[in-house]
């Protein structure tokens, strides 16, 4: 099945009924197909996932859980959610899975609601060192409702400072410890965090939004055996719909479910739940395992090539799909670099770099690997990126090169 077969019928109706919006969607489809998608949090779903998102379950209101809904007519919705739950449990080896969370942030909020009370102390990776907004930002519910203490990364290695984590845990005796990051390219030592949590009587929450797809494919260590609750997204490397999920042991299942509904959100988005079921089924295949390992191989090749081009790659490389790098050696700061690259058709993010004054670049290989690119293309991408940042190539010329590359690797062939 091609994306055209899956969606063109619906697009035909949309073009007739609302050509203005149809034009916007066509432009986005063209943008994705003709530019390099290097945002670490993005990917291309399969046509089957897209088909589920556009299914009749989009019409169904299904507050509650299978067998205990607040609305009638939920028999097929129950079947879809049970399938998603069972596939998630099997895929990650978890006693319980909640697949209703609308996003990764919603999943983290539910984990906090299940384990904490307002005012409790939480130890998490500081925002300036790669922590997420839900790890204590004053602009976020987490920073307003809980007392966050931030740990960091070592100034020389860029790796998480385990000695600092241990010292802060002993000094503050937090109710929960959060391990996970949106900009740390190395594997998290879940066993270490479990030991620290046990020593100080804390719960352990793993925010695995970024690596969970690698975990599914056997390309990253699983937090499930160590954390009380694992929060994750279903997009990114997992290649499912935009959404969240939680994994936990049987003893916390009821608390987690009640924290999602009715405490933090209402009715589940059943078309998204169905699409999650599709993605979990795809992630259980040998083909996905091969994909996950290729994502990591591509990230390592890209990190090495960027370093060869003169960028300062943090931690000296990556274990995952994610790379952070300082473009300052090429004479440009992160925000400006992102703008120059966008004009050349290379789409990525900038991020805070620990122990640095300026922002750097954050990029990932999940989407380009889905397109079928390999290590050879990563070296080519690094060269295009560096040439733009040095000012040696006009963005328009690089955009032509990018278009030629993406044409050879379309996200949806056919």
């Amino acid at each position: 099945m091609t994306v055209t077969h899956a969606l063109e019928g619906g697009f035909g109706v949309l073009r007739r009924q609302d050509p203005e919006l149809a034009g916007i969607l066509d432009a986005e489809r063209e943008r994705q197909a003709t530019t390099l998608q290097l945002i670490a949090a993005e990917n291309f779903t399969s046509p089957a996932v897209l088909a589920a998102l556009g299914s009749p379950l989009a019409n169904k209101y299904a507050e509650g859980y299978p067998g205990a809904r607040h609305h009638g007519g939920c028999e097929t919705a129950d079947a879809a959610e049970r399938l998603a739950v069972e596939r998630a449990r099997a895929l990650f080896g978890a006693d319980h899975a909640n697949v209703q969370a609308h996003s990764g942030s919603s999943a983290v909020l539910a984990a906090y609601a299940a384990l904490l009370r307002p005012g409790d102390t939480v130890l998490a990776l500081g925002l300036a060192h790669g922590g997420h907004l839900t790890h204590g930002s004053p602009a976020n519910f987490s920073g307003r409702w809980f007392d966050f203490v931030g740990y960091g990364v070592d100034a020389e290695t860029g790796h998480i400072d385990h000695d600092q984590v241990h010292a802060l845990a002993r000094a503050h005796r937090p109710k929960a410890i959060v391990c996970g990051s949106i900009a740390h390219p190395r594997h998290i030592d879940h066993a270490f965090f479990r030991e620290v949590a046990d020593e100080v009587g804390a719960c352990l929450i793993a925010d695995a939004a970024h690596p969970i797809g690698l975990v599914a494919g056997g390309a990253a260590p699983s937090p499930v055996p160590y954390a009380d609750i694992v929060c994750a997204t279903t997009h990114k490397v997992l290649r499912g719909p935009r959404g969240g999920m939680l994994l936990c042991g049987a003893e916390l299942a009821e608390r987690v479910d009640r924290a999602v509904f009715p405490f933090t959100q209402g009715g589940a988005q059943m078309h998204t739940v169905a699409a999650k079921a599709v993605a979990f089924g795809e992630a259980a295949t040998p083909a996905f395992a091969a994909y996950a390992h290729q994502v990591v191989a591509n990230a390592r090749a890209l990190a090495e090539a960027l370093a060869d081009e003169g960028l300062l790659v943090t931690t000296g490389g990556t274990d995952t799909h994610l790379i952070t790098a300082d473009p300052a050696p090429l004479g440009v700061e992160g925000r400006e670099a992102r703008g120059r690259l966008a004009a050349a058709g290379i789409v990525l993010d900038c991020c805070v770099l620990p122990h640095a004054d300026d922002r750097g670049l954050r990029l990932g290989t999940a989407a380009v690997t889905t397109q079928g690119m390999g290590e050879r293309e990563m070296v080519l991408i690094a060269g295009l990126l560096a040439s733009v940042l040095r000012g040696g190539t006009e963005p328009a010329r690089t955009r032509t090169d990018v278009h030629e590359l993406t044409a050879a690797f379309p996200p949806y062939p056919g």
Side-chain angles (χ1 to χ4, degrees):
M1 180 193 297
T2 68
V3 71
T4 301
H5 292 145
L7 298 179
E8 199 55 44
F11 264 96
V13 173
L14 187 60
R15 288 192 183 96
R16 292 192 297 274
Q17 180 173 321
D18 194 336
E20 183 177 10
L21 182 60
I24 293 172
L25 297 183
D26 282 334
E28 174 60 12
R29 181 158 57 175
E30 176 74 5
R31 184 196 69 80
Q32 291 183 19
T34 59
T35 57
L36 281 169
Q37 309 307 315
L38 295 175
I39 291 178
E42 292 186 356
N43 208 337
F44 296 107
T45 70
S46 70
V49 169
L50 290 177
L53 284 170
S55 71
L57 279 174
N59 302 324
K60 190 70 197 91
Y61 212 153
E63 282 189 331
Y65 291 99
R69 305 287 190 182
H70 290 258
H71 299 278
C74 289
E75 295 82 5
T76 54
D78 284 359
E81 184 166 346
R82 287 191 178 107
L83 183 62
V85 167
E86 289 308 310
R87 287 180 175 179
R89 290 179 61 233
L91 183 62
F92 297 107
D95 292 339
H96 181 70
N98 184 297
V99 298
Q100 289 194 11
H102 296 332
S103 67
S105 292
S106 296
V108 174
L109 171 58
Y112 292 167
L115 299 175
L116 304 174
R117 293 292 180 268
D120 282 346
T121 299
V122 183
L123 182 61
L125 185 63
L127 273 67
H129 293 246
H132 187 249
L133 289 172
T134 56
H135 300 171
S137 168
N140 183 263
F141 70 85
S142 58
R144 296 187 182 190
W145 293 351
F146 306 105
D147 179 19
F148 271 82
V149 177
Y151 58 87
V153 300
D154 183 84
E156 292 186 7
T157 67
H159 291 259
I160 290 174
D161 189 336
H162 285 184
D163 290 340
Q164 184 190 41
V165 172
H166 212 162
L168 289 172
R170 286 173 169 172
H172 294 275
R173 314 295 294 191
K175 183 68 177 295
I177 299 175
V178 180
C179 59
S181 170
I182 60 168
H184 187 66
R186 298 298 184 173
H187 292 321
I188 301 293
D189 187 344
H190 303 111
F192 162 77
F193 278 96
R194 179 74 266 170
E195 290 176 5
V196 175
D198 287 345
E199 179 183 330
V200 300
C203 299
L204 181 61
I205 300 171
D207 187 347
H210 271 274
I212 198 68
L214 299 177
V215 173
S222 174
V224 171
Y226 302 98
D228 294 288
I229 299 177
V230 176
C231 309
T233 56
T234 51
H235 44 289
K236 301 184 177 73
V237 183
L238 192 54
R239 216 158 53 179
R242 292 193 60 82
M245 68 173 173
L246 298 101
L247 305 169
C248 67
E251 70 281 359
L252 288 175
E254 184 175 357
R255 288 168 67 178
V256 165
D257 283 351
R258 288 185 176 277
V260 175
F261 174 85
F263 189 75
T264 59
Q265 62 186 47
Q269 298 175 353
M270 291 311 304
H271 57 306
T272 304
V273 169
K276 291 175 184 179
V278 174
F280 298 148
E282 293 174 345
T285 64
F288 186 88
Y291 161 75
H293 283 85
Q294 187 62 53
V295 167
V296 175
N298 282 353
R300 288 173 171 162
L302 181 55
E304 183 177 351
L306 290 172
D308 290 343
E309 292 287 354
L311 282 81
L312 181 60
V313 175
T314 63
T315 77
T318 181
D319 295 327
T320 67
H321 65 297
L322 187 149
I323 302 160
T324 55
D326 189 351
L330 302 187
V332 61
E333 184 267 339
R335 289 188 183 88
E336 182 183 352
R338 180 180 63 177
R340 287 191 196 179
L341 292 167
I346 301 173
V347 184
L348 44 67
D349 290 328
C350 58
C351 67
V352 175
L353 292 176
H355 307 293
D357 295 329
D358 292 328
R359 286 179 174 263
L361 300 177
R362 186 187 75 154
L363 56 163
T365 55
V368 290
T369 306
T370 294
Q371 290 176 261
M373 298 186 198
E375 289 99 324
R376 176 181 175 277
E377 286 73 34
M378 298 306 105
V379 176
L380 177 59
I381 289 170
L384 293 172
L385 184 153
S387 181
V388 171
L389 296 186
R390 289 194 192 97
T393 306
E394 288 297 321
R397 172 57 191 164
T398 301
R399 198 173 187 100
T400 299
D401 294 336
V402 167
H403 194 285
E404 291 177 358
L405 177 59
T406 56
F409 295 93
Y412 295 106

